[in-house]
Amino acid sequence: MTLLQDRAVTARSAPGRPSFWTTRRRDQLTGYLFITPALLGAVVFVFLPLVLVVWYSLHEWNVLADTFDFVGSENYRKLAEDPNVPAVLRATGLFSVGLVVLNLGLALSLAVLLNQKLRGTTVFRVLFFSPVVVSLLAWTIVWGFLLQDNGGVNGLLSLFGIDGPNWLRSGGTAMASVVVVQVFKNVGLNMVLFLAALQGVPQELYEAARTDGAGPWTVFRRITLPLISPTILLTSIITVVGSLQVFAQINVLTQGGPGTSTTVLVYYLYQQAFQFHAFGYGSTLSVLLFLIVLALTVLQWQMRKRWVFHES
């Protein structure tokens, strides 16, 4: 027997020497390989752009003049002194509040109605959800024609003797029109989420409540709302974040007008960066938008312990 064979026999017979590639290590490696594409995507398309935006906000980048100068906190000072920012934040707040309240309220109401065992509910579910899959640009362009002074909405009102306004060119109706168009576009998504949550509520709880003499409103408030509160939290976070990122509807319908009545933060960011070529200041506005979205998301997540079922 050679020396190499002696060592091989000794290695096989030596007790207490576990292999490096244990089952646990192999499972961990497999898990890391599966999440690597998602991590790379997050780094390249989320974290790296965030870092670059903060870096650009510390510079004045003029593409036309081909200059990239470090200005430190000058853009943030400009943000604090910008006279348009209060109006932009006010328009952003009005749009977000209106969209969130109408969207969630209408979606929950539709879900409750369509959860009833009535004939034709499947057809209505398809009708209410169909705008979600329609192209956003096509949907917005069509509503732009309908809301014109001589558009379809005013034509319908004229049948009842009502002289409708120019919806998108009047300061009192432009914001409401944009909100309604966006609500009709996406209410079907939240409706489906609420409908799925409602169908997951145990029927035994409803039967027990009715046996005890509880009315419909009491049943809804004491049983339905608490049990679907996790879905309400999910839809509220999605809707709030989405309301702060709306751009195409504003750009197509009103271009931020009349005046600055519908100039939300995302559209103002677009104007500064891509119309006025102030990329440094546009990046500063992007940082502000990110902080607002982060603050509202964290606030909703922290408040869940007070009203979300099983989160106390």
Side-chain angles (χ1 to χ4, degrees):
M1 183 179 294
T2 63
L3 180 60
L4 182 60
Q5 290 174 331
D6 289 341
R7 290 181 178 177
V9 172
T10 304
R12 285 195 299 267
S13 61
R17 293 187 60 185
S19 173
F20 177 79
W21 288 110
T22 61
T23 303
R24 181 177 180 180
R25 285 197 173 101
R26 285 198 299 269
D27 292 341
Q28 289 177 343
L29 178 61
T30 303
Y32 288 136
L33 290 176
F34 272 113
I35 66 174
T36 295
L39 287 177
L40 290 176
V43 170
V44 174
F45 297 108
V46 178
F47 298 111
L48 182 59
L50 283 175
V51 173
L52 290 176
V53 163
V54 175
W55 175 248
Y56 292 151
S57 70
L58 302 175
H59 294 75
E60 186 54 51
W61 185 9
N62 191 321
V63 178
L64 299 179
D66 194 21
T67 59
F68 189 73
D69 302 321
F70 181 80
V71 294
S73 61
E74 183 63 30
N75 285 322
Y76 292 93
R77 188 179 298 109
K78 180 180 178 181
L79 175 64
E81 298 173 354
D82 191 341
N84 293 322
V85 168
V88 169
L89 293 179
R90 182 166 56 251
T92 304
L94 288 174
F95 180 85
S96 298
V97 171
L99 179 64
V100 171
V101 172
L102 286 179
N103 193 314
L104 296 183
L106 183 59
L108 183 57
S109 301
L110 290 174
V112 171
L113 290 175
L114 296 179
N115 194 42
Q116 308 299 318
K117 296 181 179 179
L118 302 175
R119 296 181 60 183
T121 54
T122 303
V123 175
F124 284 102
R125 291 177 188 177
V126 174
L127 289 176
F128 287 126
F129 186 77
S130 57
V132 177
V133 298
V134 174
S135 168
L136 174 61
L137 187 59
W139 174 268
T140 308
I141 291 175
V142 169
W143 273 101
F145 285 111
L146 292 176
L147 293 170
Q148 288 180 356
D149 191 19
N150 57 350
V153 174
N154 283 345
L156 180 62
L157 292 176
S158 65
L159 297 177
F160 301 94
I162 301 175
D163 187 15
N166 191 343
W167 297 93
L168 300 176
R169 294 296 177 262
S170 174
T173 59
M175 178 62 76
S177 300
V178 176
V179 169
V180 170
V181 169
Q182 181 66 7
V183 167
F184 285 166
K185 176 69 174 67
N186 291 327
V187 69
L189 179 60
N190 286 340
M191 180 199 71
V192 169
L193 294 175
F194 283 135
L195 191 59
L198 289 171
Q199 292 178 350
V201 177
Q203 295 298 315
E204 295 82 3
L205 298 178
Y206 290 139
E207 295 173 0
R210 296 190 187 98
T211 302
D212 292 339
W217 172 245
T218 302
V219 171
F220 180 77
R221 185 166 58 92
R222 296 292 187 180
I223 297 178
T224 304
L225 280 181
L227 290 180
I228 68 171
S229 56
T231 304
I232 296 176
L233 174 66
L234 171 65
T235 54
S236 65
I237 292 177
I238 294 175
T239 308
V240 168
V241 173
S243 69
L244 294 170
Q245 297 176 342
V246 168
F247 167 77
Q249 296 86 329
I250 300 294
N251 189 37
V252 173
L253 293 175
T254 65
Q255 294 80 47
T260 58
S261 59
T262 59
T263 304
V264 295
L265 186 55
V266 173
Y267 189 76
Y268 188 60
L269 184 160
Y270 161 78
Q271 287 181 320
Q272 295 296 322
F274 298 101
Q275 290 184 354
F276 306 146
H277 303 288
F279 288 98
Y281 188 52
S283 299
T284 306
L285 292 171
S286 298
V287 174
L288 175 62
L289 176 63
F290 170 74
L291 293 177
I292 292 175
V293 171
L294 179 63
L296 291 176
T297 304
V298 171
L299 178 63
Q300 292 180 89
W301 185 253
Q302 292 299 322
M303 290 180 62
R304 80 191 192 282
K305 298 179 181 179
R306 295 188 176 184
W307 60 275
V308 177
F309 190 62
H310 280 327
E311 289 288 344
S312 58

